[in-house]
Amino acid sequence: MSVTVSEKNITQEIASGIEKNLDVNSSDGALRKEALEAFRTLGLPPNKSEEYKFTPITRALEKNFEFSGQNAIVKEFDITPVAIPGLDADVLVFLNGVFSKTASSITSKNLTVLPIQEAIASKNEVALKHLGKYADFKTDALVAWNTAAFQDGVFVHVADNTIIEKPVVLYHIHDASAGQVISLNRNLIVVGKSSSVTVLEKFDSTGSANFSNTVTEAVVAENAGLELYSIQNDNGPRYQFGLTQIHQSNFSRVNTYTFTLSGKLVRNNLHFVLNGEGIESHMYGLYLLAKDTLADNHTVVDHKKPNSFSNELYKGIMGDSSKGVFNGKIYVRPDAQKTNAFQANRNILLTDKATVNTKPQLEIWADDVKCSHGCTTGQLDEEALFYLQTRGIGKDTALAMMLYAFAGEVLEYVKHPVIKEYLDNVISERLHKNF
Amino acid sequence: MSKDNQVLEALTSKEYEHGWSTNIETDSAPKGLNEDIIRFISSKKNEPEWLLEWRLDAYRQWTKMKEPTWPNVTYPPINYQDVIYYSAPKQKITPKNLEDVDPELIKTFEKLGISLTEQKRLTGVAVDAVIDSVSVATTFKETLGELGIIFCSFSEAVLKHPDLVKKYMGSVVPVNDNYFAALNSAVFTDGSFCYIPKGVRCPMELSTYFRINAANTGQFERTLIIADEGSYVSYLEGCTAPMRDENQLHAAVVEIYAMKDAQVKYSTVQNWYPGDKEGKGGIYNFVTKRGLCFGDGSKISWTQVETGSAITWKYPSCILKGDNSMGEFYSVAVTNNYQQADTGTKMIHIGKNTKSRIVSKGISAGHSQNSYRGQVHIMKRAEGARNFSQCDSLLMGDKCGAHTFPYIDVENNSAKIEHEATTSKIGEDQIFYCLQRGIDEESAVALIVNGYAKEVLSQLPMEFAVEAQKLLALTLEGSVG
């Protein structure tokens, strides 16, 4: 019982902190107020609640963070070491959740890229129309927290019939060397009819405990395309919650790529709503975990209309005493006949301390559908390893080669050549060093 | 030939065919549940003091527990005080042979096609028939007795073999395991008890038929099977229940305890009354079934064909404690009209080189909801554990739902786990092919469904397989189109 009591306390503590800074008269004030109420009612998820069964996020927050203080202010940060080399992009940098104008460079003229606070302040019609409409803050307290208190983020709007070649890149830097950091970022991506855009988010952190809660809403109109990347490579005491909520219309195509390479506790929620026909959605995920990292990927694909296709591939390698969690839900609603939905989750456990918990879940209310999920957990093939060794390849190298081949299946789908090369380097270096 | 005709005949009859009730005077407890009722049940059954204490302890724990809400089923709240917890057919003398048994009972079984005499002569199955809670006829006891096999009603076992019962009852399913198991532990009225001694291979299929008879009577069966070292037994359980409008509660507990190198095969065909076309009535079937592979090299295999019950909540599980032990689960669950089923299995791997295999085939039709819920848990010391799971769903019609909730928890890196699931419908081309060959649509569906479920049906003992096939066809009638 004492546990529940103390959880209530941090919910209260956070809520009153938000209330102090709440400006009800701003353009998003009503939304924030409503979300704050929802946050209070819901409370942070208690330990062992079904959705957070393996991810004790509330306990982690309780133990490692104070909610009364302010984040340390970081004026400058050299992003060169964490930036993706050779990538020609519109860059937005967020230092401890705050937009840094000096470090960012936005050059593209054919799309709207703004810090979301600026979009709200200038009463951007598109931004206000969509903000908070998709990410459901009434069921998840963490989303409610974000909605009520987000600091900043990006607003990307691509008008109809525009193909954007240059990716929009967001660097989230958490510098907790002067004390703990809690950042709340909110992104909104609106892709107009027959347009397409690529957005990449990269998270890096240094210093002591830091927590980020990022919610991204993406609305993809008819016949439009969106590529969404998330690269999580934070060392140290890094705690992270993220929700990516994607809303697709007829004949749109969305690919998401989630790479979790490091961190202490990482929870990624990825929700797709397929509200149209002829939609294609691909979800790719790769988690390479070492030390005591816990990475939890929860995905939901909701097929609401007929004739759509979704495909999900998540692979994971768990070393040391790391923990991988995968939960994939596929809903096929009564109207969504002729749906094809596939899901695969493959895991490799390298040590006897590593664990994996997976729960692929299908819920189907339509009869004329093809849905399947597959899930495996195992270890590397001893014989293949032996074969490589007989050919004069050292055991470590052979191991790295095989793991690289395993991970390569996900990497293969990355479309952007520069991003692909970067990830390829990071991952192969990692596999040769750490495992 | 005659079998084919039976299938066709079964297909054309529209209502639940086992829906009738026998007029046997019953000796019932008043409605409701409290410690006095438990004392009443216990004294009715002449139970020793320790068992009464055990029941009371279970009851006290039950009052502190909450009914689980996580299953994917919805039903109006059950008033546990509105249930009669004890009803026994009035029988003054314990029958020694079939002639002593109430002729009404014999007729009941004849209607179900399980004539005891017939069974005795033709199939060699020893039937421990249970009508409402008290065993009224036990056959083949002597043959089994020669081998040292004990197969009797639970209440008889309590009186004659108290040491075994005391030692093993609750060792696999503890009284406080879950809400319904606790309820059963408090109020169970009868059931079957089976002990196979060391190195004995039971020469025949042991079988019990359960029926719920008196109106408003919950049926709380308790089965305990103990297989000693190197023994083998195949156990069958079949269920049919008469038609009732009020929902009836059924909360059974089955415990299997397998020692070193023992093998137990447990097969069920469950056909309780599922409610009518509008979803009115039907049995609530909340069952806890669990087997413990205690010894090295032991094996427990569950096979079930679930066609009945308005609501099914049932997870026959295996705890693989002994090294090299093995668990299997084969299931066909069919839901039609407004039936709801949340069923599956748990395979808990504790010992080294333990293996498990799960094959689950769900079929949903009408407005029904069919869920598979399963867990494969590989514990830390379960070196070299292996699991294969397959759960397929077949949907007939666009008003029904199929759901899968598999949990896969692996804590050992040498484990190999595979899980796959598919959901689809019966192919139009398959139906078309059958139509073209002069097979009408209904028969075509029965044919295809039987083919789909064959992997599981083939695990059933012969007599059961035929019955199960008939049941599948019967349950799905009128669901095409």
Side-chain angles (χ1 to χ4, degrees):
Chain A
M1 286 318 267
S2 62
V3 176
T4 21
V5 172
S6 58
E7 272 158 20
K8 276 246 149 51
N9 282 348
I10 72 160
T11 302
Q12 286 309 336
E13 219 176 295
I14 295 166
S16 45
I18 297 170
E19 199 161 28
K20 255 185 258 160
N21 299 320
L22 192 65
D23 174 12
V24 192
N25 298 321
S26 66
S27 311
D28 58 347
L31 174 73
R32 283 174 186 261
K33 192 159 187 285
E34 203 186 338
L36 177 60
E37 289 314 311
F39 177 68
R40 276 216 169 101
T41 335
L42 290 166
L44 285 169
N47 299 323
K48 299 280 167 200
S49 67
E50 180 67 18
E51 283 300 294
Y52 291 87
K53 198 171 173 184
F54 302 107
T55 311
I57 196 157
T58 309
R59 204 162 57 210
L61 287 170
E62 256 169 22
K63 239 173 88 181
N64 300 295
F65 293 92
E66 295 292 328
F67 296 94
S68 43
Q70 294 278 326
N71 288 339
I73 294 167
V74 179
K75 291 261 167 54
E76 267 175 48
F77 192 91
D78 181 19
I79 65 151
T80 340
V82 297
I84 297 172
L87 184 64
D88 181 21
D90 289 315
V91 175
L92 291 94
V93 177
F94 293 89
L95 294 175
N96 291 354
V98 181
F99 177 65
S100 156
K101 201 161 187 177
T102 44
S104 307
S105 69
I106 303 166
T107 51
S108 292
K109 296 280 180 284
N110 49 358
L111 81 164
T112 314
V113 183
L114 288 173
I116 200 149
Q117 289 290 26
E118 211 176 303
I120 294 165
S122 64
K123 297 204 164 42
N124 183 304
E125 267 176 43
V126 184
L128 291 178
K129 187 180 155 203
H130 293 289
L131 182 70
K133 295 288 186 310
Y134 307 97
D136 181 11
F137 56 80
K138 299 224 164 102
T139 52
D140 194 322
L142 288 147
V143 180
W145 179 8
N146 179 293
T147 311
F150 66 85
Q151 299 162 287
D152 210 339
V154 70
F155 169 60
V156 178
H157 178 212
V158 185
D160 295 352
N161 306 313
T162 319
I163 306 292
I164 309 296
E165 300 286 352
K166 261 192 345 189
V168 176
V169 176
L170 318 177
Y171 292 114
H172 293 278
I173 314 287
H174 293 87
D175 184 353
S177 40
Q180 68 160 49
V181 170
I182 296 172
S183 73
L184 299 136
N185 287 112
R186 181 83 178 202
N187 305 317
L188 175 64
I189 302 164
V190 182
V191 189
K193 280 181 191 165
S194 305
S195 299
S196 85
V197 68
T198 299
V199 178
L200 181 142
E201 276 192 287
K202 190 168 180 299
F203 299 87
D204 292 277
S205 63
T206 57
S208 59
N210 62 96
F211 170 73
S212 77
N213 175 338
T214 312
V215 173
T216 303
E217 290 176 295
V219 195
V220 185
E222 256 171 57
N223 206 24
L226 171 67
E227 304 260 304
L228 208 53
Y229 294 84
S230 179
I231 302 172
Q232 301 152 357
N233 194 10
D234 307 72
N235 282 307
R238 159 78 175 161
Y239 302 83
Q240 178 164 358
F241 166 84
L243 165 72
T244 305
Q245 178 85 37
I246 294 165
H247 201 86
Q248 284 187 259
S249 303
N250 292 345
F251 305 102
S252 57
R253 303 161 311 280
V254 173
N255 294 344
T256 61
Y257 308 86
T258 311
F259 293 88
T260 308
L261 305 175
S262 197
K264 175 91 181 155
L265 183 153
V266 181
R267 164 68 177 239
N268 295 314
N269 285 5
L270 178 59
H271 294 186
F272 270 83
V273 177
L274 275 53
N275 198 13
E277 295 194 31
I279 291 171
E280 239 187 84
S281 314
H282 294 271
M283 287 140 271
Y284 302 105
L286 181 66
Y287 38 103
L288 306 180
L289 313 178
K291 292 178 208 154
D292 58 350
T293 301
L294 188 162
D296 180 352
N297 281 294
H298 266 58
T299 67
V300 179
V301 183
D302 193 348
H303 285 266
K304 285 193 188 287
K305 298 272 167 71
N307 299 317
S308 286
F309 174 85
S310 72
N311 180 30
E312 186 168 358
L313 175 67
Y314 270 73
K315 299 185 93 172
I317 302 172
M318 269 68 62
D320 299 338
S321 59
S322 63
K323 202 168 157 79
V325 181
F326 174 79
N327 178 312
K329 292 191 188 77
I330 299 177
Y331 296 110
V332 180
R333 302 291 171 188
D335 288 343
Q337 299 291 359
K338 310 267 179 211
T339 288
N340 284 350
F342 304 105
Q343 184 187 82
N345 173 235
R346 314 216 179 286
N347 299 291
I348 288 186
L349 293 177
L350 290 177
T351 65
D352 52 9
K353 286 206 193 78
T355 58
V356 61
N357 302 92
T358 77
K359 185 186 173 197
Q361 181 178 337
L362 294 175
E363 297 218 34
I364 292 158
W365 290 274
D367 62 335
D368 191 5
V369 299
K370 277 193 195 128
C371 297
S372 73
H373 63 181
C375 149
T376 56
T377 301
Q379 54 285 306
L380 289 175
D381 185 353
E382 289 290 328
E383 280 175 31
L385 201 60
F386 179 73
Y387 175 84
L388 290 172
Q389 283 175 271
T390 60
R391 292 292 177 275
I393 297 163
K395 194 172 177 188
D396 291 348
T397 318
L399 198 70
M401 277 169 75
M402 284 174 65
L403 291 176
Y404 177 73
F406 178 83
E409 209 189 321
V410 177
L411 268 180
E412 199 180 312
Y413 292 101
V414 174
K415 281 192 184 147
H416 197 284
V418 182
I419 297 172
K420 189 174 185 166
E421 196 190 333
Y422 170 76
L423 282 168
D424 197 58
N425 286 339
V426 172
I427 288 164
S428 64
E429 191 190 350
R430 171 70 189 279
L431 289 174
H432 280 87
K433 239 197 241 163
N434 280 5
F435 288 119
Chain B
M1 271 293 119
S2 68
K3 270 171 202 160
D4 291 344
N5 284 337
Q6 278 173 331
V7 173
L8 282 175
E9 223 179 273
L11 276 168
T12 46
S13 67
K14 284 286 164 196
E15 288 285 306
Y16 179 75
E17 64 165 17
H18 301 314
W20 33 260
S21 71
T22 325
N23 289 320
I24 303 173
E25 283 181 79
T26 56
D27 182 8
S28 302
K31 274 186 184 178
L33 182 57
N34 52 49
E35 296 201 359
D36 288 340
I37 294 281
I38 291 166
R39 288 199 178 92
F40 170 81
I41 296 171
S42 194
S43 70
K44 269 273 165 199
K45 304 183 71 65
N46 299 320
E47 283 174 359
E49 186 62 27
W50 62 266
L51 191 55
L52 175 64
E53 282 307 315
W54 198 79
R55 284 175 183 272
L56 289 172
D57 172 49
Y59 172 73
R60 283 168 201 144
Q61 301 212 34
W62 178 74
T63 51
K64 285 182 210 131
M65 293 166 95
K66 279 200 189 108
E67 198 173 332
T69 50
W70 48 262
N72 191 19
V73 294
T74 48
Y75 53 90
I78 299 169
N79 183 357
Y80 291 93
Q81 296 305 336
D82 199 32
V83 175
I84 297 168
Y85 287 90
Y86 182 78
S87 102
K90 258 189 187 162
Q91 288 267 339
K92 297 225 165 66
I93 318 148
T94 337
K96 288 209 172 61
N97 52 43
L98 287 176
E99 282 74 49
D100 291 348
V101 174
D102 194 333
E104 279 276 331
L105 277 183
I106 302 290
K107 266 190 215 156
T108 308
F109 288 116
E110 274 162 11
K111 275 195 214 165
L112 282 170
I114 339 155
S115 146
L116 287 181
T117 35
E118 189 88 43
Q119 295 266 349
K120 212 169 166 181
R121 228 179 292 121
L122 295 176
T123 58
V125 173
V127 178
D128 176 20
V130 174
I131 278 207
D132 276 23
S133 324
V134 168
S135 266
V136 289
T138 306
T139 50
F140 276 89
K141 215 173 204 170
E142 284 135 46
T143 331
L144 296 174
E146 278 164 29
L147 288 163
I149 296 172
I150 304 165
F151 179 43
C152 60
S153 71
F154 206 90
S155 23
E156 196 183 328
V158 169
L159 299 173
K160 289 192 183 158
H161 310 282
D163 298 347
L164 284 173
V165 176
K166 218 169 167 177
K167 185 169 174 198
Y168 293 106
M169 184 170 67
S171 64
V172 184
V173 180
V175 285
N176 60 350
D177 185 78
N178 65 65
Y179 190 75
F180 298 112
L183 179 64
N184 175 288
S185 304
V187 302
F188 74 90
T189 40
D190 211 338
S192 301
F193 175 84
C194 176
Y195 172 80
I196 317 289
K198 239 181 209 180
V200 170
R201 189 182 168 88
C202 185
M204 59 186 87
E205 318 266 356
L206 299 180
S207 131
T208 345
Y209 281 81
F210 297 104
R211 276 171 45 75
I212 294 182
N213 202 293
N216 282 330
T217 312
Q219 178 113 351
F220 302 95
E221 299 290 341
R222 194 159 184 113
T223 303
L224 176 59
I225 300 172
I226 306 157
D228 213 326
E229 269 184 53
S231 62
Y232 168 86
V233 62
S234 167
Y235 192 93
L236 318 182
E237 176 203 314
C239 311
T240 44
M243 187 177 276
R244 291 286 168 202
D245 267 344
E246 274 170 79
N247 292 302
Q248 290 187 307
L249 179 65
H250 179 96
V253 169
V254 177
E255 293 178 281
I256 300 179
Y257 198 97
M259 294 181 213
K260 191 166 180 278
D261 297 322
Q263 273 191 40
V264 180
K265 189 178 160 86
Y266 194 104
S267 316
T268 315
V269 172
Q270 187 262 109
N271 184 29
W272 305 104
Y273 176 52
D276 64 9
K277 287 241 155 71
E278 276 73 50
K280 206 166 154 255
I283 305 288
Y284 289 0
N285 191 19
F286 302 132
V287 185
T288 310
K289 287 185 170 176
R290 192 174 303 151
L292 173 64
C293 286
F294 184 80
D296 294 353
S298 53
K299 179 180 172 184
I300 291 174
S301 169
W302 298 98
T303 307
Q304 59 171 23
V305 176
E306 301 277 326
T307 58
S309 293
I311 293 165
T312 306
W313 180 96
K314 182 178 177 186
Y315 314 94
S317 311
C318 296
I319 301 171
L320 305 170
K321 189 159 183 276
D323 293 349
N324 305 312
S325 60
M326 192 171 172
E328 286 181 333
F329 175 76
Y330 297 94
S331 162
V332 175
V334 188
T335 53
N336 199 352
N337 300 325
Y338 285 88
Q339 277 176 275
Q340 301 174 56
D342 194 313
T343 183
T345 185
K346 269 188 184 180
M347 293 290 174
I348 315 289
H349 292 252
I350 304 171
K352 293 190 176 69
N353 298 318
T354 44
K355 292 195 184 79
S356 63
R357 183 182 169 86
I358 300 169
V359 177
S360 164
K361 305 267 180 182
I363 301 164
S364 10
H367 292 80
S368 68
Q369 299 294 331
N370 198 335
S371 311
Y372 167 83
R373 187 185 300 274
Q375 186 187 27
V376 176
H377 192 159
I378 312 290
M379 303 281 224
K380 256 206 162 68
R381 61 168 283 252
E383 286 288 323
R386 184 84 177 83
N387 162 268
F388 172 79
S389 313
Q390 186 186 349
C391 33
D392 296 336
S393 308
L394 195 64
L395 289 155
M396 302 167 89
D398 52 7
K399 302 280 191 303
C400 53
H403 317 270
T404 39
F405 306 88
Y407 291 77
I408 299 142
D409 301 322
V410 187
E411 290 171 28
N412 186 297
N413 67 322
S414 62
K416 266 198 188 139
I417 312 296
E418 289 170 81
H419 173 96
E420 57 182 49
T422 61
T423 303
S424 54
K425 69 166 194 168
I426 294 182
E428 275 157 34
D429 46 343
Q430 290 169 324
I431 300 254
F432 179 72
Y433 179 84
C434 291
L435 290 176
Q436 194 197 25
R437 292 288 180 275
I439 300 166
D440 68 68
E441 203 166 354
E442 202 109 312
S443 312
V445 170
L447 185 77
I448 293 163
V449 167
N450 269 321
Y452 166 78
K454 195 159 189 108
E455 211 177 332
V456 174
L457 296 180
S458 66
Q459 297 292 328
L460 287 170
M462 188 53 202
E463 312 84 331
F464 251 30
V466 176
E467 196 177 321
Q469 268 188 29
K470 273 197 275 177
L471 275 179
L472 279 188
L474 194 71
T475 316
L476 289 170
E477 76 188 23
S479 56
V480 201

